[in-house]
Amino acid sequence: MTMIVPDSEHRGLVARLPQSLRGLALLARLDRPIGWWLLFWPGAWGVALAGGVVARWDLILWILAGSIAMRGAGCVYNDIVDRDLDGQVARTAARPIPSGMVSVRTAWVWLVALSLVGLIVLVQLHALAAVVALASLAPVAAYPFMKRITWWPQAWLGLVFSWAALVGWSEVANDLSAPMWWLYAGSIAWVIGYDTIYALQDREDDALIGVRSSALRMGRHVQGGVALFYVLALLLWAAAIWAVRPDPLALAALLPATVHLGWQVATLRPDDGGNALARFRANRLTGLLLFLAFAVVGTGA
């Protein structure tokens, strides 16, 4: 039987907040920074591969701020849409809206406030990157409904959570050239892999209430499926690097991330929720290893 890991964690600074503020912090997942790290890294990769690590270090900080705010806004919106489903899943039943800690009306106000922070970040961008960033709103709005209509909501999440790669590259390079698309495609495959690991925690409840996921679709082949998506991600990132710097030695920059992703797959225990959560969270380090790889390639190109 899969061990259930609660979705809301009342600990650290969040646990010390008054209940009303704690509810808002939990709603935006401020107690779980892994989400905004995973949203941030593709944007940082785009800046790095385009050669902007040194000259545009400020852009990396703006992308970080935007990732924290917009990940929070996305979680609030997702919880508003999914409030009925969340109440039926053991891991998510304690979330602020289904538990009654935060009202739906308050959640909408909080969503607007977080979106305004995202707007501040948006106005820092040049026209092309700003248009690219705004184009993300439609897929973000559609994401919560994907688990109701497709076995692959993780693929849609990949489209959304990788979008910052398009923003980071287009802001620095001021174009929408091939390396950006290879980078984006690789990130999508990576997201499908790690979010399938994350979805392992909910397989039993999802099957009972009719929610679809790649973890359910892959069944007993889930470990091999995650490995396949990670390999695809690495091949696409290799194509991105080659498009920037066609040198076999440049591809060696991917070796640390390759080893780390291999470790995730080799040590994954699909029926252990704690193990799955730890492997999912390990992708924060994957993001850092890839950032360093793309920075080396982009700076030396």
Side-chain angles (χ1 to χ4, degrees):
M1 183 175 180
T2 302
M3 184 184 76
I4 300 298
V5 180
D7 185 71
S8 296
E9 302 183 58
H10 299 239
R11 63 186 186 185
L13 293 175
V14 171
R16 298 183 178 90
L17 294 172
Q19 183 170 342
S20 58
L21 294 179
R22 185 164 67 247
L24 296 178
L26 292 171
L27 196 59
R29 309 291 195 277
L30 297 182
D31 61 323
R32 306 190 78 139
I34 181 60
W36 51 258
W37 277 116
L38 295 177
L39 187 62
F40 161 74
W41 281 125
W45 301 343
V47 175
L49 191 60
V53 167
V54 176
R56 295 305 311 274
W57 61 267
D58 60 319
L59 175 60
I60 296 176
L61 295 181
W62 280 117
I63 291 175
L64 178 60
S67 297
I68 295 172
M70 297 315 295
R71 185 264 185 152
C75 288
V76 174
Y77 175 69
N78 187 77
D79 283 9
I80 291 171
V81 173
D82 281 353
R83 58 189 182 276
D84 294 331
L85 290 177
D86 285 345
Q88 302 176 60
V89 177
R91 184 178 59 83
T92 58
R95 283 180 175 175
I97 296 178
S99 68
M101 183 181 289
V102 176
S103 69
V104 174
R105 181 179 179 180
T106 300
W108 278 113
V109 173
W110 184 219
L111 172 60
V112 171
L114 290 167
S115 298
L116 288 175
V117 176
L119 179 61
I120 293 173
V121 176
L122 182 69
V123 299
Q124 311 303 316
L125 304 175
H126 294 125
L128 177 61
V131 170
V132 169
L134 284 173
S136 70
L137 294 179
V140 168
Y143 169 67
F145 303 99
M146 291 300 111
K147 67 186 72 173
R148 295 168 171 83
I149 62 176
T150 175
W151 285 104
W152 295 93
Q154 282 70 30
W156 198 269
L157 183 71
L159 295 175
V160 171
F161 255 58
S162 304
W163 204 276
L166 307 179
V167 177
W169 174 278
S170 61
E171 174 68 10
V172 175
N174 199 32
D175 64 30
L176 303 176
S177 54
M180 180 194 75
W181 296 110
W182 289 121
L183 180 68
Y184 180 59
S187 183
I188 292 171
W190 176 59
V191 174
I192 295 173
Y194 75 59
D195 202 54
T196 297
I197 293 175
Y198 186 76
L200 288 171
Q201 301 172 88
D202 295 334
R203 282 196 297 184
E204 293 177 10
D205 284 334
D206 285 350
L208 287 172
I209 65 177
V211 168
R212 302 174 182 183
S213 76
S214 56
L216 284 173
R217 189 64 173 174
M218 292 180 192
R220 61 188 178 88
H221 303 294
V222 68
Q223 200 162 5
V226 170
L228 181 63
F229 279 108
Y230 279 173
V231 169
L232 178 59
L234 288 164
L235 291 173
L236 291 166
W237 288 328
I241 288 175
W242 192 265
V244 170
R245 188 176 174 188
D247 181 346
L249 285 178
L251 299 179
L254 288 174
L255 284 176
T258 301
V259 171
H260 185 64
L261 290 171
W263 166 82
Q264 287 184 39
V265 173
T267 60
L268 179 64
R269 296 196 297 274
D271 293 327
D272 183 338
N275 172 275
L277 183 60
R279 299 304 174 275
F280 164 74
R281 287 176 170 169
N283 282 282
R284 176 168 47 191
L285 177 57
T286 310
L288 175 60
L289 293 174
L290 287 163
F291 172 72
L292 295 175
F294 294 134
V296 169
V297 173
T299 303

